[in-house]
């Protein structure tokens, strides 16, 4: 059986995998990407690209490509008990990009992959075996034929399937939430404020409206879940349920009238205890940490994993000791091991912060007790009129991510 050798092998051609491969390729590192999907259709539907990510993607040209098709969201408002109780202004933050760029995930994937290597598609990885020299990766192609790669470094960016692949190497913690949501994208959104995300909170649970390019909107609403009668939920029709939620919670019947169908999703939190195994196997993106999409930081976490990992790996391949390193153990010399450990600590800390924020967002979006809804709305309104208002602006712009504290997000 023949073995294909490469310097870095990436499993997964989603946003994180495509970006790390593109950045490594741009920095002169040999990289191969394997992808199970036969085509480039996105595996999820994330839309928001946050300021630190836009800054991190600039060097490779992806930011320009994303912004060419994105709508910019400089502000968001929170509505409760029929009135606006808070405002988050990204354009008040000292950032190179004082907004969230809203764009379909397919555009983001294409932008970060534009100058990277073409993925080898239709390949399902079935085994990973680290050795002192590197990593053997066993896979099956679309015809069921067995294939093997050998790489000095393996990067797993394949989401939940990647975690299953690495179950013998990494440990972590997982939690499934009972919350259920409906979502749809509308081609027209009458009455919605331009460039503004609208979050409605209260006695019935959260309803959200996010701008999309071309005047379109994404709508999301939390729904009640009856675990004893799950089919009864679907019998009412997901589109009708979402339309009712938008009409009653957001007081927007004209907007609700445009809802014809909806898809549902649930949420979970997964945090691995580490992201690097033996210096040669690295997990990034949802393979390493999965957080609630409520708040829109999951894809961004993975993109920052990739953007910050690529220079660490590329540095190990540079300098006068490059040839010696190619013949040495896969984790390179002590300085590379230390740099990789610093990267891991920073990304794990950022993932934990994002997970806590996502958990808070999830709790805030649950139904408020009716007798306390007005009181809670007033308390939220009062809090957001104090200096505390700067905390949500920083949090929702990913300002607490470790990567946002470095040079990537400095003003020019």
């Amino acid at each position: 059986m023949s073995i294909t050798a490469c310097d870095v092998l990436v499993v997964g051609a989603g946003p994180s995998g495509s970006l790390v491969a593109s950045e490594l390729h741009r920095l002169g590192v040999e990289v191969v990407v394997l992808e199970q999907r036969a085509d480039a259709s996105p595996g999820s539907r994330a839309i928001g690209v946050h300021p630190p990510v836009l800054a991190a993607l600039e060097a490779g040209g992806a930011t320009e490509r994303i912004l060419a098709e994105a709508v910019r969201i400089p502000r968001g408002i929170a509505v409760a008990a029929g009135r606006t109780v808070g405002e988050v202004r990204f354009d008040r933050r000292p950032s190179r990009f004082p907004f969230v760029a809203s764009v379909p995930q397919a555009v983001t994937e294409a932008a970060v992959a534009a100058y990277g290597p073409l993925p080898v598609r239709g390949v399902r990885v079935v085994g990973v075996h680290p050795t002192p020299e590197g990593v053997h990766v066993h896979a099956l192609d679309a015809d069921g034929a067995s294939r093997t790669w050998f790489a000095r470094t393996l990067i797993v960016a394949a989401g939940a399937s990647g975690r299953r692949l690495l179950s013998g190497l990494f440990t972590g913690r997982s939690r499934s939430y009972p919350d259920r949501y409906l979502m749809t994208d509308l081609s027209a959104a009458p009455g919605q404020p331009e460039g503004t995300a609208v979050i409605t909170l209260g006695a019935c649970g959260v309803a959200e409206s996010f701008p999309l390019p071309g005047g379109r909107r994404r709508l999301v609403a939390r729904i009640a879940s009856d675990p004893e009668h799950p089919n009864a939920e679907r019998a009412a029709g997901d589109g009708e349920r979402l339309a009712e939620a938008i009409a009653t919670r957001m007081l927007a019947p004209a907007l609700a009238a445009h809802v014809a169908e909806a898809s549902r999703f649930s949420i979970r939190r997964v945090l691995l205890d580490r992201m690097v195994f033996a210096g040669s196997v690295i997990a990034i993106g949802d393979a390493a940490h999965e957080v609630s999409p409520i708040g829109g930081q999951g894809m961004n976490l993975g993109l920052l994993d990739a953007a910050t990992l690529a220079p660490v790996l590329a540095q190990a391949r540079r300098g006068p000791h490059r040839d010696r390193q190619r013949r040495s153990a896969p984790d390179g010399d002590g300085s590379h091991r230390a740099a990789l450990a610093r990267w891991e600590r920073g990304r794990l800390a950022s993932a934990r912060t994002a997970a806590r924020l996502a958990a808070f967002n999830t709790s805030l979006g649950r139904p408020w007790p009716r007798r306390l809804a007005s009181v809670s709305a007033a308390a939220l309104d009062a809090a957001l009129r104090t200096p505390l208002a700067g905390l949500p602006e920083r949090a929702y712009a990913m300002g607490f991510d470790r990567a946002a504290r470095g040079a990537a997000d400095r003003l020019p």
Side-chain angles (χ1 to χ4, degrees):
M1 179 177 61
S2 63
I3 298 177
T4 303
C6 60
D7 196 358
V8 178
L9 183 68
V10 178
V11 177
S16 302
S18 294
L19 177 59
V20 74
S22 293
E23 286 296 284
L24 287 170
H25 182 74
R26 183 175 69 86
L27 295 171
V29 178
E30 177 195 15
V31 58
V32 173
V33 182
L34 305 182
E35 171 54 54
Q36 184 172 344
R37 294 176 296 170
D39 55 44
S41 59
S44 64
R45 296 171 64 184
I47 57 173
V49 184
H50 291 252
V53 178
L54 293 170
L57 299 181
E58 254 192 310
T63 298
E64 183 179 358
R65 294 188 289 274
I66 289 171
L67 293 182
E69 300 192 44
V71 61
R72 304 180 184 198
I73 306 176
R75 67 190 288 263
I77 59 173
V79 178
R83 60 191 179 92
T84 300
V85 296
E87 179 182 37
V88 173
R89 293 285 299 272
F90 302 118
D91 54 3
R92 287 197 291 232
R93 287 194 48 75
S95 170
R96 288 177 53 78
F97 301 97
F99 51 82
V100 172
S102 177
V103 69
Q105 182 177 321
V107 173
T108 302
E109 288 195 10
V112 300
Y115 298 125
L118 292 175
V120 181
R121 293 193 174 274
V123 175
R124 180 170 63 90
V125 175
V126 295
V128 171
H129 303 286
T131 72
E133 294 76 29
V135 187
H136 283 94
V137 176
H138 304 290
L140 300 175
D141 64 20
D143 297 324
S146 178
R147 302 182 64 179
T148 300
W149 278 264
F150 176 79
R152 288 182 60 217
T153 302
L154 170 67
I155 301 173
V156 178
S161 62
R163 288 197 300 272
R164 291 191 294 270
L165 185 67
L166 300 176
S167 59
L169 306 178
F170 293 81
T171 59
R173 293 152 290 164
S174 176
R175 176 186 176 185
S176 294
Y177 287 83
D179 307 84
R180 300 291 183 269
Y181 300 85
L182 294 174
M183 176 176 69
T184 196
D185 291 343
L186 301 182
S187 58
Q192 294 297 285
E194 184 177 354
T196 302
V198 181
I199 315 297
T200 302
L201 307 167
C204 296
V206 70
E208 305 175 328
S209 169
F210 300 102
L212 286 168
R216 295 176 292 131
R217 279 268 165 170
R218 169 161 296 180
L219 304 180
V220 178
R222 187 187 187 277
I223 58 172
S225 179
D226 182 356
E228 296 183 0
H229 303 93
N231 294 328
E233 295 183 16
R234 297 181 183 274
D238 286 345
E240 290 85 349
R241 295 191 72 190
L242 180 57
E244 180 184 11
I246 297 302
T248 57
R249 300 179 203 178
M250 301 188 73
L251 305 179
L255 182 65
H258 285 74
V259 177
E261 59 184 9
S263 59
R264 60 175 57 203
F265 64 92
S266 57
I267 59 176
R268 61 187 171 187
R269 181 178 69 184
V270 181
L271 295 173
L272 295 187
D273 296 327
R274 60 189 308 172
M275 296 173 69
V276 181
F277 177 83
S280 60
V281 181
I282 304 172
I284 66 173
D286 280 359
H289 41 67
E290 184 175 347
V291 302
S292 167
I294 306 302
Q297 298 197 4
M299 179 182 70
N300 289 271
L301 263 181
L303 290 172
L304 288 174
D305 290 348
T308 52
L309 175 62
V312 175
L313 296 181
Q315 183 62 39
R317 273 70 172 176
R318 297 191 190 121
H321 303 299
R322 175 169 178 155
D323 291 338
R324 177 181 61 80
Q325 288 177 349
R326 284 185 176 276
R327 296 190 297 269
S328 66
D331 56 345
D333 59 18
S335 62
H336 172 55
R337 183 185 290 272
L340 199 56
R342 286 193 298 272
W343 172 85
E344 180 184 47
R345 287 195 298 271
R347 298 318 302 154
L348 286 174
S350 296
R352 288 191 290 268
T353 298
R356 287 191 289 269
L357 178 60
F360 172 77
N361 291 333
T362 300
S363 298
L364 192 64
R366 290 173 180 150
W368 296 0
R370 290 185 181 275
R371 66 182 182 277
L372 298 178
S374 296
V375 175
S376 300
L380 182 61
D381 188 9
L384 291 177
R385 294 179 185 274
T386 71
L388 291 175
L391 291 177
E393 290 175 355
R394 182 178 177 187
Y396 292 117
M398 293 195 73
F400 289 106
D401 192 286
R402 296 295 181 91
R405 302 179 190 179
D409 201 31
R410 284 205 301 257
L411 287 168

